[in-house]
Amino acid sequence: MDEAASVTACEDGPLLLRGSFTLLTQDGETIDPGRRTVALCRCGRSAIKPFCDGTHKAVGFQAPSAPTSSR
């Protein structure tokens, strides 16, 4: 049986997607990740979206790894 997918939010960085998953475009086309672990861009500045290229470091992107309270 395939390992279930997991997503890890990295502080000030990407989302790490590991395990058995399928990436799709909004039109339902499959995106071949080429591996079982990928880093997905959270900062919106990557040149290879939806994948992370490390640009978050250069632009000073900040985001927590855990949910923040809206209170």
Side-chain angles (χ1 to χ4, degrees):
M1 183 174 182
D2 286 335
E3 177 187 346
S6 68
V7 179
T8 304
C10 297
E11 184 175 359
D12 302 336
L15 296 173
L16 296 181
L17 178 55
R18 295 180 177 100
S20 182
F21 59 86
T22 302
L23 287 177
L24 301 172
T25 67
Q26 65 183 16
D27 298 323
E29 299 292 321
T30 300
I31 300 170
D32 180 10
R35 58 189 62 141
R36 288 180 50 84
T37 299
V38 295
L40 298 176
C41 177
R42 277 205 298 171
C43 77
R45 306 293 277 289
S46 174
I48 57 170
K49 289 182 203 87
F51 305 106
C52 175
D53 66 1
T55 300
H56 59 275
K57 294 175 188 173
V59 300
F61 176 72
Q62 295 183 328
S65 65
T68 57
S69 174
S70 61
R71 294 179 198 172

